[in-house]
Amino acid sequence: MAHDATTSRPGYFGRFGGQYVPATLLSALDELEAAFLDARDDPEFNEEYHRLLRDYVGRPSPLYPAPRLSERVGAKVYLKREDLNHTGAHKINNTIGQGLLAKRMGKRRIMAETGAGQHGVATATVAALLGLPCQVYMGVEDVRRQRLNVYRMRLLGAEVIPVEGTSGTLKDACDEAMRAWMGQYEETLYVFGSVAGPHPYPTMVRDFQRVIGDEARRQILDAEGRLPTKLVACVGGGSNAIGLFYAFLEDDVELIGVEAAGLGLQPGQHSASICAGTFGVLDGAATYVIQDEDGQVLPAHSVAAGLDYPAVGPQHADFHDSGRGRYVAVTDEQALEAFRTLTELEGIIPALESAHAVAQVLAMADELTDDDLVIINISGRGDKDCEEVQRLTE
Ligand SMILES: *Cc1c(COP(=O)(O)O)cnc(C)c1O
């Protein structure tokens, strides 16, 4: 395994990360790591990746100064507009990278897990773009709840494979996808959706999402001639957050990750792995996990389906331990309120996931000053959530 500048042991971030997988998967992960490191240093690969980000995704995404929100909170606030990407969120940055890697590795198929369907749709989109067959594993309960995304994936040519498991949700889909990958990794690349899972996924997905922060750093220096004081992003697995944070790691900039407190921080009511979880292993990595005293993973809840993951990327867990990042949690109710506030103040309907980041900035209004310069990552657009918000609030 290769060394990462920010880790002490290979594949680890402090005491988090690693490869807690069956031995058969180790060779698949080693092959993937070698291919990724090789691609990362190859100008041709990078040129193709950035060309697709520009011509297909629509990057760079704007960094928008939000005047009415700024006035509301008493500090200058910018929004990084990942909601304007093709398919409406940041996930496509990663699936394009892994899709190109699959081609480069000579894989004939790609596969993915999905919860609410957003990563499944982003993977199916790239499968269509690159002409690769695609299988998406999805819990039966999620298949039922997310019919529109299931239809989208099928339209895009992907095969959606319903997984029974114990709850019929994301955790079962992840378990089954890992199992299925073991039997077919020679032909298939498993496209993982966040900065979680076994090494090299946390590093690789971060590197495919760091374009968010690389752009934002240039954009804010152009616009303001100085660095921001705070970056704020929602954290499910943590890919949009680390994508924004990474370019600012060495700077004097506060990194704020916002988890989902759901209905409150009692067991089974939230998805706040750092704020209310404990050290454990999930999906092949050591990290903070929402679990009971016996290590049984507890169901995660959030009004934002994309935050509904019972663990968190290992590098965030390490930022929390070292104090480099500050992790907080906001409730469903606060997120719903922020969803409305941003829509009314700026004419931008955020994804419910992103509304958590907005809610945190609204909640911090008292501690913000004129000198503060804040960037909020708007990880996705809220069209997908309008029906649910209407149902919950009217
Ligand atoms: C999936 C998703 C998230 C959560 O995933 P991260 O890996 O934590 O970024 C956040 N926002 C949107 C819009 C999503 O689709």
Side-chain angles (χ1 to χ4, degrees):
M1 292 193 289
H3 284 266
D4 185 287
T6 58
T7 67
S8 43
R9 278 183 291 166
Y12 277 83
F13 304 92
R15 61 191 173 120
F16 305 101
Q19 293 181 319
Y20 296 83
V21 297
T24 27
L25 270 188
L26 285 176
S27 50
L29 293 170
D30 283 350
E31 183 203 16
L32 176 59
E33 183 194 34
F36 165 63
L37 292 175
D38 187 59
R40 186 166 71 170
D41 293 335
D42 179 357
E44 223 171 285
F45 179 85
N46 282 296
E47 198 177 308
E48 179 68 354
Y49 167 66
H50 285 285
R51 185 187 69 78
L52 285 172
L53 290 185
R54 185 190 67 213
D55 298 342
Y56 189 72
V57 176
R59 303 203 73 92
S61 67
L63 185 71
Y64 165 71
R68 300 185 67 211
L69 178 63
S70 298
E71 199 184 313
R72 171 72 61 95
V73 300
K76 187 142 197 192
V77 180
Y78 280 79
L79 307 179
K80 182 59 172 161
R81 301 289 310 276
E82 294 301 297
D83 58 309
L84 294 178
N85 292 341
H86 177 50
T87 69
H90 68 291
K91 288 199 169 73
I92 191 88
N93 303 326
N94 170 46
T95 56
I96 291 220
Q98 290 192 53
L100 288 175
L101 196 58
K103 281 231 138 167
R104 182 183 170 95
M105 293 171 78
K107 302 295 181 192
R108 294 203 308 275
R109 285 199 295 269
I110 57 178
M111 58 174 288
E113 84 296 338
T114 198
Q118 288 142 240
H119 174 58
V121 169
T123 305
T125 300
V126 167
L129 170 73
L130 300 177
L132 290 167
C134 175
Q135 294 184 319
V136 180
Y137 291 81
M138 189 172 188
V140 284
E141 185 59 23
D142 288 331
V143 168
R144 191 185 60 72
R145 287 188 296 201
Q146 308 288 342
R147 263 169 305 183
L148 188 58
N149 276 339
V150 172
Y151 181 63
R152 279 200 186 102
M153 289 184 263
R154 290 186 174 141
L155 260 184
L156 289 159
E159 182 190 354
V160 177
I161 301 178
V163 180
E164 292 281 348
T166 50
S167 60
T169 60
L170 178 61
K171 187 187 170 303
D172 299 309
C174 285
D175 289 348
E176 187 56 31
M178 275 289 168
R179 223 180 345 260
W181 191 37
M182 250 188 293
Q184 52 171 308
Y185 65 81
E186 282 172 16
E187 314 85 63
T188 310
L189 183 66
Y190 182 5
V191 175
F192 198 73
S194 192
V195 288
H199 179 71
Y201 287 105
T203 298
M204 181 170 72
V205 175
R206 177 199 72 204
D207 284 359
F208 287 137
Q209 290 292 359
R210 67 170 292 168
V211 64
I212 301 171
D214 288 343
E215 286 175 7
R217 199 172 188 285
R218 279 197 300 274
Q219 289 166 319
I220 197 83
L221 287 173
D222 272 357
E224 296 285 334
R226 65 177 176 128
L227 289 170
T229 56
K230 297 179 196 311
L231 304 177
V232 186
C234 66
V235 175
S239 68
N240 86 89
I242 224 152
L244 176 67
F245 295 171
Y246 202 59
F248 299 88
L249 271 196
E250 307 303 320
D251 300 319
D252 183 19
V253 175
E254 190 180 14
L255 312 177
I256 304 174
V258 187
E259 298 192 311
L263 300 167
L265 294 180
Q266 311 81 17
Q269 308 283 291
H270 64 86
S271 304
S273 319
I274 294 179
C275 294
T278 51
F279 185 85
V281 169
L282 191 70
D283 295 331
T287 184
Y288 286 112
V289 179
I290 300 173
Q291 56 191 345
D292 67 17
E293 279 131 46
D294 301 325
Q296 291 297 315
V297 176
L298 294 168
H301 164 81
S302 170
V303 70
L307 298 183
D308 198 340
Y309 180 62
V312 66
Q315 195 163 18
H316 285 293
D318 185 49
F319 288 166
H320 171 70
D321 269 24
S322 69
R324 181 64 192 92
R326 167 177 161 201
Y327 293 84
V328 297
V330 311
T331 63
D332 287 355
E333 201 179 309
Q334 285 176 283
L336 286 164
E337 172 99 24
F339 177 90
R340 267 179 195 275
T341 303
L342 188 69
T343 302
E344 287 169 8
L345 290 179
E346 301 290 349
I348 294 169
I349 305 178
L352 277 175
E353 292 83 3
S354 324
H356 284 70
V358 177
Q360 174 60 21
V361 172
L362 292 169
M364 289 191 309
D366 283 348
E367 67 174 86
L368 294 173
T369 71
D370 284 351
D371 285 339
D372 271 309
L373 186 55
V374 181
I375 299 178
I376 307 177
N377 205 13
I378 304 298
S379 53
R381 67 173 180 235
D383 307 46
K384 67 179 178 61
D385 297 316
C386 286
E387 239 181 66
E388 178 71 355
V389 173
Q390 186 181 26
R391 192 180 69 79
L392 289 169
T393 57
E394 282 186 1

